């Protein structure tokens, strides 16, 4: 292990752990052809470094674009309790194969993540098994509302997640009194799944009568989403609480949220930007069943307009796998959820290829945006002193996504057979190459993320600060 003196000496000698050479680097100043020197887990030099620096290892990045490490701020890795669907090891393995360097994992496991002990148990399970860096959400609930100010500051905690719908038991928070208790305790940005549970219960009879998965967006209609979003935004304003609305899926919500951006941030998902009802349901059935639903092209185009207008802050995958057998149950008893963390980068690079967004905008939505919103220490940009998290992509590589490529325990993707242009080639986390030329390297060494509003944790001194 490098000591501070070792790092200081190596910085003086310009001898890095890793040199990334000749890539088109997405920096805060734009896309530039630069070399990147990584030492002690951090970026310590940028520029023409080939002749002036040496390194333990090098990556030739000519012909590739180097993005700041992609952070997926919404994944469900199902561990503990539901490991027949997914595990921390398989989920994070899929992440790095897909160019993702960090993830925020959700609290709807078994047991639910509601206490310090629940959170610690997840970190214990991730130790030595997680391929990428990670943080875990605490669930906001009636049973822990008064403790949330303490819980949200635990090391490695991504914040508090609230389910206003689509959950059960202690994790469902659909009552205004409970929601206000949650909002009053704590100060970090609160992430929310906004669907109106009462309306969903009333309307379930529609799909029980039809048994047709094409009716999924009719059951969970735009009004159910807008009702919940308006409720939680109004209540958050009462307590001056920052809010993060997850997987926004409707034109109605985007029009409303555009007027509440000072304290409210917005996430969209690749599947809501890519798939389209009713075609996807007719073709894939319940494999495209998600909550909130994939909707028609009018809503999809509204999401793209919101990206162009700056209403959208981040893209998260909402990776939430179920087995094929579970998905094959008769609708509406089939569960909602699909894989997504491994396909986030390829699918969004195809959108870049099609001209729907620029590469710098994608980097902002998947790296700088998450770091800025959630106060992640040292991540989100390629700049001196930041963690050496890098996603190297080939914008001209043409690949066909297949179930066989998917690392998830569930083993399938709704994008099976889809051709894309743009592909993750190499993944670097804290200066360590974990995927190179589309193959895993070494062993899992992911670490908990740190947050500016969380409890500090000891870390290796940053040589770039010397």
């Amino acid at each position: 292990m490098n000591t501070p003196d070792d790092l200081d000496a190596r910085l003086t000698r310009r001898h890095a752990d890793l040199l990334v050479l000749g890539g088109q680097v997405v920096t805060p100043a734009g896309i530039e052809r630069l070399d990147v020197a990584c030492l002690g887990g951090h970026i310590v030099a940028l520029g023409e470094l080939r002749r002036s620096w040496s390194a333990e290892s090098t990556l030739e990045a000519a012909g590739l674009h180097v993005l700041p490490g992609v952070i997926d701020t919404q994944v469900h890795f199902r561990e503990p309790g539901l490991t027949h669907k997914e595990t921390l090891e398989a989920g994070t393995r899929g992440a790095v194969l897909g160019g993702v360097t960090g993830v925020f994992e959700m609290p709807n496991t078994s047991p639910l993540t509601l206490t310090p002990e629940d959170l610690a148990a997840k970190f214990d399970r991730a130790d030595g098994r997680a391929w990428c860096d990670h943080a875990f959400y605490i669930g906001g609930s009636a049973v822990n509302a008064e403790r949330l100010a303490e819980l949200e500051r635990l090391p490695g905690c991504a914040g508090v997640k609230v389910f206003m719908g689509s959950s059960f038991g202690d994790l469902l928070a659909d009552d205004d009194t409970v929601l206000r208790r949650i909002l009053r305790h704590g100060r970090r940005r609160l992430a929310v799944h906004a669907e109106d549970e009462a309306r969903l219960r009333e309307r379930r009879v529609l799909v029980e009568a039809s048994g047709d998965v094409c009716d999924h967006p009719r059951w969970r209609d735009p009004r159910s989403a807008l009702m919940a979003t308006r409720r939680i935004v109004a209540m958050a304003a009462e307590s001056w609480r920052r809010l993060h609305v997850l997987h926004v899926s409707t034109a109605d919500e985007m029009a409303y949220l555009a007027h509440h951006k000072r304290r409210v941030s917005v996430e969209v998902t690749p599947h809501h930007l890519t798939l389209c009802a009713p075609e996807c349901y007719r073709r894939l059935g319940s494999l495209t069943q998600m909550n909130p639903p994939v909707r028609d092209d009018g809503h999809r185009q509204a999401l793209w307009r919101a990206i162009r207008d700056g209403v959208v802050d981040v893209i998260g995958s909402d990776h939430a796998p179920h087995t094929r057998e579970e998905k094959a149950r008769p609708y509406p008893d089939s569960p909602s959820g699909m894989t997504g963390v491994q396909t986030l980068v390829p699918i969004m690079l195809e959108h870049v290829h099609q001209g729907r967004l620029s590469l710098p905008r994608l980097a902002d939505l998947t790296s700088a945006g998450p770091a800025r919103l959630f106060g992640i220490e040292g991540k989100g940009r390629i700049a001196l002193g930041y963690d050496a998290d890098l996603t190297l992509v080939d914008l001209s590589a043409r690949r066909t996504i297949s179930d066989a490529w998917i690392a998830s325990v569930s083993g399938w993707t709704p994008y099976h057979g889809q051709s894309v242009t743009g592909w993750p080639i190499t993944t670097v986390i804290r200066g360590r190459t974990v995927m190179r030329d589309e193959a895993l390297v070494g062993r899992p060494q992911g670490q908990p993320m740190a947050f500016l509003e969380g409890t500090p944790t000891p870390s290796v001194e940053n040589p770039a600060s010397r």
Side-chain angles (χ1 to χ4, degrees), residues 69-71 95-96 99-103 132-133 389-391 427-429 449:
V70 170
I71 303 167
V96 301
V100 172
T101 62
V103 295
C132 66
D133 287 354
D389 295 347
L390 308 171
T391 300
T427 307
V428 176
I429 302 176
M449 295 186 194

Side-chain angles (χ1 to χ4, degrees), residues 120-409:
K122 280 193 170 180
F123 282 114
D124 286 345
R125 286 173 173 271
D127 187 27
R129 295 175 61 233
W131 286 87
C132 66
D133 287 354
H134 45 276
F136 297 109
Y137 272 105
I138 284 280
S141 165
V143 303
N144 67 357
E146 280 68 36
R147 297 189 65 192
L148 289 173
E150 163 204 350
L151 295 172
E152 70 174 9
R153 296 192 71 248
L154 291 172
C157 180
V160 176
K161 165 70 179 290
V162 171
F163 289 85
M164 295 177 69
S166 302
S167 191
F168 54 89
D170 286 339
L171 206 54
L172 179 62
D174 59 338
D175 176 81
D176 283 4
T177 301
V178 172
L179 289 168
R180 286 190 170 94
R181 286 170 56 204
I182 291 170
L183 286 162
R184 284 198 301 268
H185 293 88
R187 62 184 303 272
R188 292 179 66 183
R189 190 176 294 273
L190 188 80
V192 59
H193 178 129
E195 289 184 288
D196 189 85
E197 183 68 14
R199 182 171 175 83
L200 296 180
R201 288 173 181 167
E202 290 172 3
R203 293 175 63 81
R204 184 179 166 95
V205 65
L206 298 174
V207 290
E208 288 177 340
S210 76
D212 186 352
V213 71
C214 290
D215 285 336
H216 195 58
R218 179 173 167 238
W219 168 25
R220 313 181 84 92
D221 66 339
R223 186 180 172 193
S224 68
L226 182 61
M227 286 172 63
T229 295
R230 292 174 69 99
R231 275 176 64 210
I232 194 66
V233 169
M235 283 189 280
E238 294 171 4
S239 56
W240 291 77
R241 189 71 182 268
R242 289 168 295 163
L243 201 64
H244 183 57
V245 186
L246 297 162
H247 42 48
V248 175
S249 64
T250 71
D252 316 68
E253 289 172 284
M254 285 301 184
Y256 173 76
L257 290 167
H259 299 287
H260 295 82
K261 287 292 298 170
R262 292 184 178 180
R263 288 185 174 270
V264 182
S265 55
V266 175
E267 176 201 77
V268 294
T269 70
H271 53 272
H272 287 127
L273 293 168
T274 306
L275 302 172
C276 188
E279 182 277 334
C280 66
Y281 296 105
R282 292 170 179 161
R283 179 167 53 90
L284 295 169
S286 62
L287 293 183
T288 53
Q289 179 187 333
M290 292 289 288
N291 298 332
V294 174
R295 304 188 189 274
D296 64 33
D297 189 55
H299 291 290
R300 180 172 61 172
Q301 293 306 321
L303 304 189
W304 280 110
R305 285 194 298 274
I307 286 178
R308 290 190 292 271
D309 292 344
V311 177
V312 176
D313 298 279
V314 298
I315 292 174
S317 74
D318 197 10
H319 175 92
H322 300 280
T323 66
R324 284 185 177 275
E325 292 74 21
E326 289 167 331
K327 294 292 275 184
R329 294 173 189 162
Y331 180 80
D333 294 328
S334 49
S336 293
M338 64 174 68
T339 59
V341 66
Q342 192 169 341
T343 51
L344 185 156
V345 172
I347 289 296
M348 295 313 301
L349 289 178
E350 171 64 15
H351 289 304
V352 171
H353 176 70
Q354 295 293 334
R356 296 186 183 100
L357 78 167
S358 68
L359 196 64
R361 178 67 169 129
L362 177 60
D364 187 70
L365 290 165
T366 58
S367 300
R372 181 172 61 244
L373 291 183
F374 296 98
I376 311 172
E377 279 193 20
K379 296 191 183 292
R381 59 171 54 190
I382 298 175
L384 294 184
Y386 278 71
D387 286 1
D389 295 347
L390 308 171
T391 300
L392 281 66
V393 302
D394 185 343
L395 295 185
S396 63
R398 189 163 178 81
R399 300 285 190 276
T400 299
I401 297 172
S402 71
D403 291 339
W405 178 62
I406 297 299
S408 170
V409 170

